[in-house]
Amino acid sequence: KEQVADMLQRMLHLKKEDMPAFMDATDALAAAYCHYLQMNRPQTTKAYSSWKDFINKNPQKIIK
């Protein structure tokens, strides 16, 4: 629990006095932050199996 609190403090740039007093609160904050990161992760709509596949599907991106 202490490690999670320290990690959150570093990741969110929080001062020691701004951290929640109870470790259960830091666990809840960590879960909410993980959920936030997962929900806002960019999703790619195209899947490529190789560079050749990428080039074949995106010929406009090749500069000659």
Side-chain angles (χ1 to χ4, degrees):
K1 290 195 180 264
E2 290 84 8
Q3 289 175 336
V4 170
D6 288 341
M7 178 195 66
L8 280 173
Q9 184 179 356
R10 280 181 265 133
M11 289 177 72
L12 300 176
H13 306 287
L14 298 172
K15 297 176 188 172
K16 203 63 145 169
E17 59 270 9
D18 293 336
M19 290 296 292
F22 300 103
M23 292 294 164
D24 289 341
T26 57
D27 287 346
L29 181 59
Y33 188 62
C34 286
H35 181 69
Y36 167 78
L37 291 175
Q38 287 180 347
M39 295 303 295
N40 291 313
R41 185 174 43 199
Q43 302 272 334
T44 58
T45 56
K46 296 181 181 179
Y48 306 106
S49 59
S50 65
W51 279 109
K52 185 177 180 179
D53 185 34
F54 175 83
I55 291 168
N56 288 335
K57 292 179 180 177
N58 298 286
Q60 75 281 3
K61 296 197 179 214
I62 305 302
I63 300 171
K64 294 184 180 183

